[in-house]
């Protein structure tokens, strides 16, 4: 489906937080990077990463998003990712579409998901394949609100994940409070793990905790074959990073598993 010609979201499909605020300063699209199960060689899912249609990076795009644009930006990213996934994803392989969002950009969970569900209906994308990664650059203002989001999404059959686990505020407190389906281990834990017994011990401990809670781990930011081999030996099968595939704008990249 041509995203530029997609049926626009109606006002009844969005919450009050998205009906006002400044217009977005840039037209956006999405790049996709796979999350690969290195045990089976299959793609578990694709993370949607925002880009400007003029080629601007995610950092450039995000730097232009002011607080009064945050609701509209969040909704636009979700709808754009889903519309592209409806065109690019195979309907049969079950690969998830992973969408990043900031919890403080969710006005009310059930209202804010309406536009995403409407987009999924338009393009015939199974909403059960949606995975939402949440993270914060600062301490979450209202953990109870975030818990309501996670509970609402889980009730709808979505997969939930804490992104950048092990960096900043995305730590043990959030894991205990929110109990997501997935943890994405931050690249700071992954970088050079093959030569660091400390990082290996930390990741092994996280895996043990996650297993006890019924949570799966994804290692992100993998750049070397040695890192990949070490993670595989530690018991991680879901992996993401430049070594496996770089993000590609409006397309699904081919993957390489060098072990």
């Amino acid at each position: 489906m041509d995203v530029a010609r997609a049926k626009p979201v109606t006002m009844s499909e969005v919450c009050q937080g998205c009906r006002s605020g400044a217009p977005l300063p840039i037209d956006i699209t999405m790049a996709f990077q796979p999350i690969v199960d290195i045990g089976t060689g299959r793609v578990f899912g694709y993370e949607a990463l925002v880009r400007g249609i003029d080629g601007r990076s995610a950092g450039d795009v995000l730097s232009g998003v002011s607080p009064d644009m945050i609701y509209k930006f969040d909704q636009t990213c979700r709808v754009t990712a889903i519309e592209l996934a409806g065109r690019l994803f195979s309907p049969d392989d079950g690969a998830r579409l992973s969408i990043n969002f900031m919890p403080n950009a969710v006005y009310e969970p059930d209202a804010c998901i309406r536009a995403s569900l409407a987009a999924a209906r338009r393009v015939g994308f199974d909403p059960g394949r949606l995975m939402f990664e949440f993270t914060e650059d600062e301490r979450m203002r209202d953990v109870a609100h975030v818990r309501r989001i996670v509970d609402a999404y889980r009730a709808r059959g979505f997969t939930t994940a804490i992104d950048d686990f092990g960096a900043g505020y995305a730590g043990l407190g959030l894991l205990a409070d929110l109990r997501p389906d997935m943890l994405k281990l931050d690249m700071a834990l992954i970088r050079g793990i093959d030569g660091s017994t400390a990082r290996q011990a930390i990741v092994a401990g996280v895996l043990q905790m996650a297993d006890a809670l019924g949570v799966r781990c994804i290692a992100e930011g993998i750049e070397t074959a040695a890192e990949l081999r070490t993670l595989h030996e530690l018991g991680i099968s879901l992996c993401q990073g430049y070594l496996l595939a770089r993000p590609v704008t409006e397309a699904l990249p081919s993957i390489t598993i060098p072990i």
Side-chain angles (χ1 to χ4, degrees):
M1 180 174 184
D2 186 342
V3 175
R5 296 188 178 91
K7 177 184 174 183
V9 175
T10 66
M11 296 304 284
S12 64
E13 292 169 341
V14 298
C15 70
Q16 182 59 43
C18 302
R19 296 178 187 176
S20 59
L24 298 182
I26 183 174
D27 291 326
I28 65 167
T29 185
M30 291 286 160
F32 294 91
Q33 185 178 34
I35 300 166
V36 182
D37 186 330
I38 60 173
T40 65
R42 295 176 61 86
V43 173
F44 171 82
Y46 293 91
E47 182 178 0
L49 302 162
V50 68
R51 299 288 188 269
I53 61 170
D54 57 0
R56 290 193 211 181
S57 68
D60 285 344
V61 172
L62 291 168
S63 68
V65 179
S66 59
D68 61 338
M69 302 172 187
I70 190 169
Y71 297 110
K72 192 171 296 183
F73 177 74
D74 180 75
Q75 290 291 316
T76 302
C77 286
R78 294 177 186 222
V79 169
T80 302
I82 291 168
E83 289 174 341
L84 281 166
R87 173 161 62 87
L88 297 171
F89 284 29
S90 167
D92 304 318
D93 63 10
R96 290 163 175 79
L97 169 63
S98 188
I99 299 173
N100 295 280
F101 76 98
M102 293 174 286
N104 293 330
V106 176
Y107 190 81
E108 195 283 319
D110 287 327
C112 288
I113 203 63
R114 291 175 190 162
S116 299
L117 294 175
R121 285 193 299 271
R122 284 197 302 274
V123 299
F125 188 79
D126 178 4
R129 296 170 67 178
L130 292 174
M131 173 170 147
F132 289 98
E133 302 181 21
F134 53 93
T135 189
E136 274 284 34
D137 292 331
E138 60 184 47
R139 188 179 298 276
M140 291 185 185
R141 293 191 292 267
D142 186 351
V143 174
H145 173 61
V146 183
R147 188 181 301 114
R148 286 193 294 274
I149 298 170
V150 172
D151 289 345
Y153 285 5
R154 184 177 292 118
R156 289 183 177 273
F158 306 149
T159 302
T160 58
I162 295 179
D163 194 14
D164 300 329
F165 185 79
Y169 296 112
L172 298 177
L174 280 183
L175 175 60
D177 287 336
L178 303 179
R179 299 284 295 274
D181 302 297
M182 318 284 296
L183 290 180
K184 296 193 75 178
L185 305 184
D186 186 74
M187 66 177 64
L189 290 175
I190 304 307
R191 188 66 60 249
I193 192 172
D194 53 295
S196 172
T197 56
R199 284 179 170 78
Q200 291 170 28
I202 291 168
V203 169
V206 171
L207 286 171
Q208 185 176 11
M209 286 188 301
D211 185 63
L213 294 170
V215 177
R216 296 189 72 184
C217 289
I218 300 170
E220 60 181 344
I222 301 167
E223 293 188 352
T224 71
E227 290 170 352
L228 186 66
R229 283 193 298 269
T230 300
L231 292 163
H232 185 52
E233 290 166 0
L234 287 170
I236 291 183
S237 62
L238 297 180
C239 297
Q240 181 179 2
Y242 283 180
L243 178 70
L244 301 166
R246 289 178 175 266
V248 178
T249 300
E250 296 190 5
L252 302 183
S254 58
I255 63 171
T256 300
I257 306 177
I259 59 171

